[in-house]
Amino acid sequence: MPHDAKRLLYIASAFLAVLILIPVIGRLANSYVGYFLFLEFVVLLPLLVLMSADALHALDVDPGGKKAARVAVRLIASGPVLVFGLLGIICGGAGIVWVLYNLLIERQPEFNGSFYAGFGIGPAVLLFGIAKVLSVFRRAVKTEVEAEVDESDT
């Protein structure tokens, strides 16, 4: 198993452990819940997404190791990257829909943009999300095709 995959499993374990501990700590001492929430969503969640992308890349470069371990790591690593991509699609799409609603249907007092300046970063976030989601599925399809080619060679 690649080193990046092991780091991903450590980060995923820490993420789940802290997520389970938040309600327990909340009952014991309310003053520490904020520290656990900070640790969970500001430290561990970005680490989990970054380590997931690194583990997927490492599996693409060096697919060595047992097949069960590769499949398990790919499943664990695909989740955060897929959620991150879907979040980008939702946020970018919502920004575009909001601008179009304000320009074409009813202008809200909070909206002060024009057609060109109103969209802002919405299209870029939408394209980033689409690219992330497609990259997860492209890797899975590519890996399956390569596995079939390897099986036919033996």
Side-chain angles (χ1 to χ4, degrees):
M1 188 176 339
H3 182 65
D4 290 329
K6 288 181 183 178
R7 286 193 322 204
L8 170 68
L9 293 177
Y10 295 144
I11 296 292
S13 301
F15 183 81
L16 288 175
V18 171
L19 189 63
I20 291 169
L21 283 176
I22 287 174
V24 174
I25 297 299
R27 284 195 171 178
L28 298 177
N30 283 335
S31 60
Y32 294 111
V33 173
Y35 297 122
F36 276 89
L37 289 173
F38 177 82
L39 179 67
E40 182 76 16
F41 296 109
V42 176
V43 176
L44 290 176
L45 185 62
L47 275 176
L48 184 63
V49 171
L50 292 173
M51 290 294 145
S52 297
D54 286 345
L56 286 173
H57 179 70
L59 284 175
D60 289 341
V61 172
D62 180 26
K66 295 181 181 179
K67 184 174 181 172
R70 285 195 321 263
V71 170
V73 169
R74 185 165 297 282
L75 285 175
I76 292 171
S78 296
V81 174
L82 188 62
V83 169
F84 193 58
L86 290 174
L87 184 65
I89 290 171
I90 291 169
C91 291
I96 291 170
V97 167
W98 183 69
V99 169
L100 288 176
Y101 176 80
N102 278 292
L103 291 176
L104 301 175
I105 298 174
E106 178 185 354
R107 191 174 187 93
Q108 301 294 318
E110 297 86 13
F111 181 75
N112 58 2
S114 64
F115 181 76
Y116 296 110
F119 286 107
I121 199 165
V125 172
L126 179 70
L127 290 175
F128 175 77
I130 291 171
K132 280 292 173 196
V133 169
L134 290 178
S135 72
V136 169
F137 290 117
R138 225 180 270 135
R139 286 182 184 133
V141 169
K142 187 172 96 173
T143 304
E144 289 176 9
V145 169
E146 289 174 355
E148 290 175 4
V149 169
D150 290 342
E151 290 175 2
S152 65
D153 289 342
T154 57

